[in-house]
Amino acid sequence: MGYEELFPPWNMNWAGNATKRFASPFVDKPHDRIDVDAIILSHAAVTCGYTIRDFYEKPELGIHCVGYANEMYDLLPVTHWFFSLPWVTELGLKLEYKDTLPPISTGPIYSEPGDVDKMHIPDKEELEKGWTQPMFKRIYGYVQKNLPQTLVPISYGFDLVGAAAELVGVENFIMWTFTEEEAAMKLVKNYTQTAINGAEGLADTYGMAMLIVGSVLGNNDIFSDEAVKKYSFDNMKMFVDGAFRKGAGPQVFYHLCGNHTTDHKLFKESVVWSPFTVTHIGYDGRNPFPSAKLKSEFESVSTCMGSVDTKLMINPNPKAVYDQAKDQLLAGRDSKKGYILGTSCETPPYTLPGNMRALVKAAQDFGTYGTW
């Protein structure tokens, strides 16, 4: 029995309406209401009765759970499945599946700055024989066969700094940014070039592909504004520009996870923008990044994705989720290039369904077009 036999048939009426809603910010034609992207990953598996480990170890099951959960909660009609360390196995790291976490590295493989000069950057043919690329193509092949209306191939740069740092150990990498700047910068560029080669391989198979790239380790809790730009934003630009030149894109999702209180001011002038870009910033200090601030800075260049604090999603208080979502919606819903309601980062695996309902209900009540 295949995983598809575990789920009821897809509701095509819902999918048709949700697809128009998903497209509305990019075609400048409001439809239905403001969309909700709760960045659902392993919560989709948990809510269907499976485990976090199932989500990552059985990606076809995991991505079908995402599709089912999106319909159940009335979210985006797309299936996305990812984790924070794509491409690192091809650079030498070993990953280990865990019961309560995405796959993690078993430990750094380089210890000296001079080791970075020995790194081999795999080209697209080598990536085809690796672990990451065949897995993504296997997943998308499953979606094409079983959930074709939800297929959005995605090329991941994800956390360019954080993934690269795993190769030498995160603490070691942070120290290098002060003492071995040349090696630290080369390390991130090598990882970024690998991700570009992966994007080329996916584009060869699927044509255009959405790009997801984030600044996670590179944030104001760890680095100065200038360091975030140098290590993260400049490499995000390299990834998107390089992936575009290889045929990927044009949709881009910029995910600035963590605290970006002041470095966001350097972001707008540092990266590549397309007409199909979404900008999402998680936190301003310890608070969700205000939608008013997001709109003010980015509405002229991208769709804005506002946030509800992920911590609220596991708090038994749906009204708190609803109220914060309402405030964010009212502040950002008239952004020039559209607005999406989300959470500050991945929806926690054990998010309470009542809180997810509160998030969507706020979008239904305050993200409705025509009554503003």
Side-chain angles (χ1 to χ4, degrees):
M1 183 173 71
Y3 294 124
E4 67 278 7
E5 296 184 39
L6 298 171
F7 297 88
W10 193 254
N11 183 335
M12 293 303 295
N13 289 332
W14 173 80
N17 187 62
T19 298
K20 292 178 182 176
R21 188 171 65 215
F22 175 55
S24 63
F26 311 111
V27 298
D28 195 23
K29 188 175 182 180
H31 177 78
D32 190 18
R33 62 167 169 81
I34 279 173
D35 223 338
V36 178
D37 181 0
I39 314 181
I40 269 196
L41 295 175
S42 61
H43 171 63
V46 171
T47 200
C48 290
Y50 301 98
T51 67
I52 299 168
R53 183 172 184 138
D54 286 334
F55 180 81
Y56 292 103
E57 202 165 31
K58 303 169 185 174
E60 293 95 338
L61 171 65
I63 204 164
H64 207 131
C65 288
V66 169
Y68 186 69
N70 283 347
E71 179 188 334
M72 179 175 67
Y73 289 129
D74 198 13
L75 307 176
L76 306 182
V78 299
T79 42
H80 45 204
W81 181 101
F82 56 95
F83 62 109
S84 58
L85 296 174
W87 316 120
V88 294
T89 54
E90 290 77 5
L91 291 169
L93 277 183
K94 292 183 179 178
L95 295 180
E96 181 179 332
Y97 288 107
K98 308 294 286 186
D99 289 338
T100 57
L101 294 169
I104 64 168
S105 159
T106 57
I109 55 173
Y110 300 124
S111 57
E112 300 296 329
D115 292 338
V116 176
D117 293 328
K118 303 173 187 174
M119 286 179 65
H120 170 69
I121 302 171
D123 59 25
K124 68 174 182 177
E125 285 79 17
E126 291 171 302
L127 292 176
E128 288 287 347
K129 300 173 184 174
W131 179 73
T132 308
Q133 190 80 293
M135 177 177 62
F136 281 133
K137 291 190 176 182
R138 202 180 86 213
I139 295 171
Y140 295 139
Y142 176 88
V143 173
Q144 279 182 312
K145 180 180 178 182
N146 296 292
L147 298 166
Q149 63 279 8
T150 73
L151 178 65
V152 178
I154 298 173
S155 292
Y156 298 95
F158 207 69
D159 183 14
L160 299 171
V161 180
E166 290 284 342
L167 296 164
V168 300
V170 173
E171 292 179 354
N172 212 23
F173 174 80
I174 293 172
M175 182 181 71
W176 285 10
T177 64
F178 295 101
T179 62
E180 303 288 347
E181 184 177 278
E182 184 178 344
M185 292 183 67
K186 186 172 184 180
L187 182 73
V188 182
K189 287 188 182 303
N190 286 351
Y191 177 80
T192 301
Q193 185 58 56
T194 303
I196 292 169
N197 295 344
E200 181 181 10
L202 277 173
D204 286 350
T205 300
Y206 298 102
M208 61 181 180
M210 179 179 176
L211 306 180
I212 292 183
V213 60
S215 185
V216 182
L217 182 64
N219 72 72
N220 278 148
D221 281 341
I222 309 293
F223 297 113
S224 66
D225 291 356
E226 291 72 20
V228 173
K229 180 181 184 304
K230 184 187 305 179
Y231 289 100
S232 187
F233 296 164
D234 287 353
N235 283 289
M236 293 168 78
K237 178 180 181 179
M238 176 183 167
F239 172 72
V240 175
D241 180 64
F244 277 7
R245 293 176 187 276
K246 301 291 186 181
Q251 189 170 14
V252 185
F253 180 61
Y254 287 120
H255 172 60
L256 276 61
C257 190
N259 173 25
H260 293 273
T261 297
T262 56
D263 64 41
H264 74 274
K265 291 187 175 299
L266 299 175
F267 179 73
K268 185 176 176 181
E269 306 303 323
S270 302
V271 300
V272 177
W273 301 95
S274 85
F276 308 101
T277 301
V278 176
T279 300
H280 178 228
I281 305 180
Y283 288 97
D284 183 355
R286 292 291 172 267
N287 300 312
F289 202 86
S291 284
K293 192 172 176 180
L294 189 68
K295 174 186 164 186
S296 172
E297 295 281 349
F298 298 102
E299 69 169 345
S300 64
V301 291
S302 75
T303 299
C304 296
M305 180 165 156
S307 298
V308 167
D309 196 336
T310 52
K311 295 190 292 293
L312 288 182
M313 301 305 287
I314 54 173
N315 180 20
N317 187 346
K319 184 64 161 51
V321 174
Y322 181 82
D323 287 345
Q324 191 170 96
K326 171 186 173 182
D327 291 344
Q328 293 283 53
L329 281 160
L330 293 177
R333 64 186 185 182
D334 59 349
S335 296
K336 287 180 182 176
K337 292 181 178 291
Y339 182 85
I340 299 170
L341 178 65
T343 49
S344 294
C345 195
E346 173 190 351
T347 298
Y350 295 106
T351 286
L352 303 174
N355 288 345
M356 192 68 81
R357 169 63 185 144
L359 194 69
V360 175
K361 189 172 191 320
Q364 292 168 337
D365 292 348
F366 301 101
T368 305
Y369 294 95
T371 58
W372 300 356

